[in-house]
């Protein structure tokens, strides 16, 4: 009880490293405390600055490292202290971060970096700047060995640390309102009041996965850490096929199949994900400046294991959506998580802007990513399966379809426009496209039709005379 009260007095938004650590974790055990900054350039009064920074912050260096628990998951923490020379990076800082990542790789623990920094330390010159390369090197090593890195962006996160350690993390969480940018306010030519230099702008442009109020961040961070924590070395099996949530009966006609898939009230990706997972967390953005709200990607917990998911929401996806799905599947491969994809799109977005953003290239890269996966993947068509934009998310050997889905080489209207030069003939031409679930099963395109919550009701077969006898046997009601 006392511990919980103490934790509530801390805030992850604090400039103090130890207060940020106390807000998100328990059982912190520090290491590397003996590592201290020196004066490699003989910078005037630098030693005095270090002494004052130590007195002000209570720390020996601008970063505090150690082991702790976030929720119930053991982690390695790297926490910057902005009270120590603005959380800037010197040689000693670099050595502590390198050691922290080495311990994480050895113990197979997630790295949680709590960042609040102005960048490289000028008083140590290039000896400071090259620490960015060292940090990038250990981040790359963690990636190669499947050790996750989660970065929490506090205020401010700027300069070389944002451009090396923080933005290269597998999952990025930002404290709402934090300054996040490569160029800090003091080095920009003019002070610009713009969301592009804050957590808001970074979230909007796809560089931050979650943006949270400081008081909400610890609980969400614990969920992310739990989901991404490396699992035991056990044989991976494909995710279960989700139960179909919509129609139960198979369509008799192709156009009925198309109409069902396009019905406004049909269950969509969010409903399927909520039904399938006990809890989940989303990633956001393609990390090159784009976000597509029509593609839901993230990690969920089902029956005690983490499953990566990429789910289309029934819209035409942009290049950003396909790149985000590719990013998700690459994380699944790195961490050895099985993957689930839900297919539901009329096709890829095809406006001039989409061509400029490279939608074709993004689809090609996603095809290659799926082809190269070593982790098992299960795919389910839950609605429209429109052409290559849908096929890019499909498991080549484990594709299923819901009774109210369809899959086609192209939308029936487009097929009619190409073949008949008349889009109004879409209904007629759909009958020749063999796009119904049962057609796709017969053709060997899908492995099966997803199970439903209930079996379709069987028709009651009774002769007309028997019905008449039953009606006549019922007592008549007198009307007033």
């Amino acid at each position: 009880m006392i511990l919980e009260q103490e934790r509530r007095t801390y805030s992850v938004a604090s400039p103090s490293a130890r207060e940020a650590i106390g807000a998100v974790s328990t059982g912190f055990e520090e290491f590397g405390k003996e590592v201290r900054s020196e004066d490699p350039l003989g910078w005037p009064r630098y030693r005095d600055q270090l002494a004052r920074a130590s007195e002000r912050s209570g720390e020996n260096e601008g970063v505090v490292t150690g082991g702790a628990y976030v929720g119930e998951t053991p982690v390695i923490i790297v926490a910057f202290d902005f009270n120590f020379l603005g959380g800037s990076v010197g040689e000693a800082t670099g050595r502590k971060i390198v050691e922290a990542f080495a311990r994480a790789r050895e113990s197979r623990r997630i790295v949680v970096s709590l960042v609040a920094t102005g960048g490289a330390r000028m008083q140590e010159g290039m000896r400071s700047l090259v620490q960015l390369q060292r940090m990038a090197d250990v981040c790359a090593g963690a990636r190669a060995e499947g050790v996750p890195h989660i970065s929490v962006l506090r205020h401010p996160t700027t300069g070389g640390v944002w451009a090396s350690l923080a933005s290269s993390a597998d999952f990025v969480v930002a404290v709402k309102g934090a300054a996040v940018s490569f160029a800090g306010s003091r080095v920009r030519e003019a002070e610009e009041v713009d969301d592009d230099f804050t957590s808001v702008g970074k979230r909007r442009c796809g560089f931050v996965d979650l943006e949270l109020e400081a008081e909400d961040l610890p609980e969400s961070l614990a969920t992310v850490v739990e989901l991404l924590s490396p699992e035991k070395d056990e044989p991976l099996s494909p995710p279960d096929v989700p139960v179909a949530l919509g129609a139960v009966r198979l369509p008799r006609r192709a156009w009925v199949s198309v109409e069902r898939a396009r019905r406004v009230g049909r269950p969509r990706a969010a409903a399927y994900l909520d039904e399938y997972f006990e809890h989940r967390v989303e990633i956001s953005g393609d990390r090159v400046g784009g976000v597509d709200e029509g593609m839901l990607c993230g990690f969920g917990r089902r029956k005690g294991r983490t499953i990566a998911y990429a789910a289309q929401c029934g819209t035409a996806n942009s290049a950003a959506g396909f790149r985000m799905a590719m990013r998700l599947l690459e994380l699944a491969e790195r961490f050895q998580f099985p993957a689930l994809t839900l297919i539901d799109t009329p096709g890829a977005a095809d406006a001039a802007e989409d061509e400029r953003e490279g939608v074709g290239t993004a689809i090609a890269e996603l095809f290659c990513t799926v082809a190269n996966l070593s982790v098992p993947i299960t795919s389910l068509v839950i609605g429209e399966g429109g052409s290559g934009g849908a096929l890019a998310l499909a498991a080549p050997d484990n594709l299923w379809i819901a009774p109210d889905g369809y899959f086609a080489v192209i939308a029936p209207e487009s097929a009619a426009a190409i073949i008949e030069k008349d889009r109004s003939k879409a209904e007629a031409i759909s009958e020749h496209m063999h796009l119904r679930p049962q057609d796709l099963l017969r053709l060997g395109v899908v492995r099966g039709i997803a199970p439903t919550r209930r079996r379709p009701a069987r028709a009651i077969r009774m002769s007309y005379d028997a019905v008449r006898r039953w009606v006549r046997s019922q007592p008549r009601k007198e009307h007033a």
Side-chain angles (χ1 to χ4, degrees):
M1 183 66 179
I2 295 175
L3 178 60
E4 288 299 318
Q5 290 175 344
E6 288 178 351
R7 288 188 65 190
R8 282 196 291 269
T9 64
Y10 297 138
S11 171
V12 70
S14 170
S16 163
R18 293 186 191 274
E19 289 190 14
I21 292 170
V24 302
S25 70
T26 57
F28 179 70
E29 295 183 3
E30 186 175 2
F31 54 73
K33 190 172 184 178
E34 72 285 354
V35 180
R36 296 170 177 262
S37 289
E38 296 181 0
D39 186 10
L41 305 185
W43 190 278
R45 296 182 296 280
Y46 179 42
R47 292 187 182 278
D48 292 337
Q49 291 176 333
L50 290 172
R52 288 195 298 271
S54 181
E55 183 179 357
R56 183 184 308 114
S57 65
E59 306 297 344
N60 295 329
E61 188 45 66
V63 68
V64 177
T65 55
Y69 285 84
V70 172
E72 298 181 357
T73 307
V75 301
I76 297 295
I77 287 185
V78 174
F80 287 75
D81 196 304
F82 198 73
N83 293 324
F84 191 102
L85 295 179
S88 56
V89 173
E91 279 190 295
T93 318
R95 287 201 300 274
K96 294 184 74 170
I97 293 172
V98 168
E99 180 189 2
F101 272 83
R103 290 188 181 225
R105 290 162 68 177
E106 181 180 357
S107 62
R108 303 294 299 170
R109 290 189 179 192
I110 287 181
V111 178
V112 176
S113 58
L114 307 174
V115 184
T117 175
R121 195 172 298 170
M122 290 171 291
Q123 295 93 328
E124 296 187 28
M126 285 301 298
R127 297 276 285 270
S128 165
L129 192 65
V130 296
Q131 302 308 312
L132 307 184
Q133 291 178 319
R134 299 188 68 195
M135 288 190 288
D137 180 64
V138 295
C139 287
R143 281 187 176 188
E145 295 183 19
V147 175
H149 172 204
I150 300 169
S151 191
V152 177
L153 313 182
R154 296 145 62 213
H155 177 73
T157 297
T158 59
V161 179
W162 163 242
S164 58
L165 178 73
S167 63
S168 69
D170 302 302
F171 197 99
V172 180
V173 188
V175 177
K176 195 168 186 177
V180 182
S181 62
F182 178 60
S185 59
R186 293 187 181 183
V187 299
R188 296 199 293 269
E189 290 187 4
E191 179 61 30
E192 300 178 60
V193 180
D194 195 314
D195 284 348
D196 290 339
F197 299 97
T198 69
S199 60
V200 174
K202 293 298 183 289
R203 176 73 169 78
R204 184 180 60 239
C205 294
F207 298 107
V208 165
D209 295 299
L210 289 176
E211 185 196 22
L212 300 167
E213 298 288 354
E215 59 269 24
D216 298 327
L217 195 147
E219 183 177 354
S220 294
L221 179 63
T223 300
V224 176
V225 167
E226 177 208 354
L227 288 171
L228 296 189
S229 182
E231 299 189 351
K232 298 177 182 178
D233 294 331
E234 296 178 354
L236 291 178
S237 58
D240 301 332
V241 178
V243 172
L245 302 181
V248 175
R249 292 184 178 277
L250 294 173
R252 292 186 177 183
R253 295 175 53 246
W255 191 247
V256 171
S257 187
V258 175
E259 289 180 323
R260 282 183 179 181
R262 293 175 177 176
R263 186 169 60 86
V264 174
R266 173 179 58 79
R268 303 282 171 161
Y272 272 86
L273 295 173
D274 289 343
E275 175 77 15
Y276 191 79
F277 292 114
E278 291 133 31
H279 58 273
R280 61 188 177 92
V281 65
E282 292 183 9
I283 67 169
S284 179
D286 62 0
R287 292 297 185 266
V288 292
V291 174
D292 183 350
E293 301 295 340
M295 183 78 78
L296 299 179
C297 295
F299 301 91
R301 182 70 76 178
R302 177 177 172 83
K303 297 180 181 178
R305 68 172 179 163
T306 297
I307 297 172
Y309 66 83
Q312 294 171 315
C313 299
T315 59
N317 292 117
S318 65
F322 293 114
R323 291 191 182 110
M324 184 169 67
M326 182 178 68
R327 175 191 162 211
L328 183 280
L329 293 176
E330 287 175 344
L331 290 173
E333 178 73 12
R334 189 183 308 158
F335 304 145
Q336 289 295 287
F337 294 145
L340 171 71
T341 61
L342 301 180
I343 296 167
D344 186 10
T345 180
D350 57 7
E353 180 182 2
D354 299 297
E355 289 298 323
R356 287 193 296 270
E357 292 179 355
V359 66
T361 302
I363 292 173
E365 291 171 346
L366 181 54
F367 268 122
C368 292
T369 300
V370 171
N372 288 327
L373 286 179
S374 69
V375 297
I377 177 172
T378 297
S379 300
L380 175 64
V381 182
I382 63 171
E384 292 195 79
S387 194
L391 190 64
L393 273 178
D397 57 357
N398 197 22
L399 174 63
W400 298 69
I401 190 167
D404 52 358
Y406 80 85
F407 216 143
V409 64
I410 198 169
E413 291 85 354
S414 298
I418 294 170
I419 295 175
E420 302 289 346
K421 297 182 176 59
D422 185 354
R423 297 178 69 88
S424 68
K425 296 183 178 180
E427 181 175 349
I429 208 167
S430 69
E431 301 300 328
H432 303 290
M433 296 179 73
H434 296 274
L435 50 74
R436 298 176 305 167
Q438 58 267 45
D439 297 328
L440 297 165
L441 181 60
R442 176 177 51 81
L443 292 170
V445 175
V446 300
R447 184 175 171 183
I449 298 170
T452 60
R453 282 177 166 174
R454 63 190 188 280
R455 294 181 181 273
R458 292 183 178 179
I460 299 175
R461 299 192 177 187
M462 185 180 295
S463 69
Y464 177 69
D465 288 340
V467 172
R468 287 184 65 188
R469 285 196 299 270
W470 180 84
V471 171
R472 288 176 177 176
S473 69
Q474 302 304 304
R476 294 190 178 187
K477 294 181 179 180
E478 298 293 335
H479 296 281

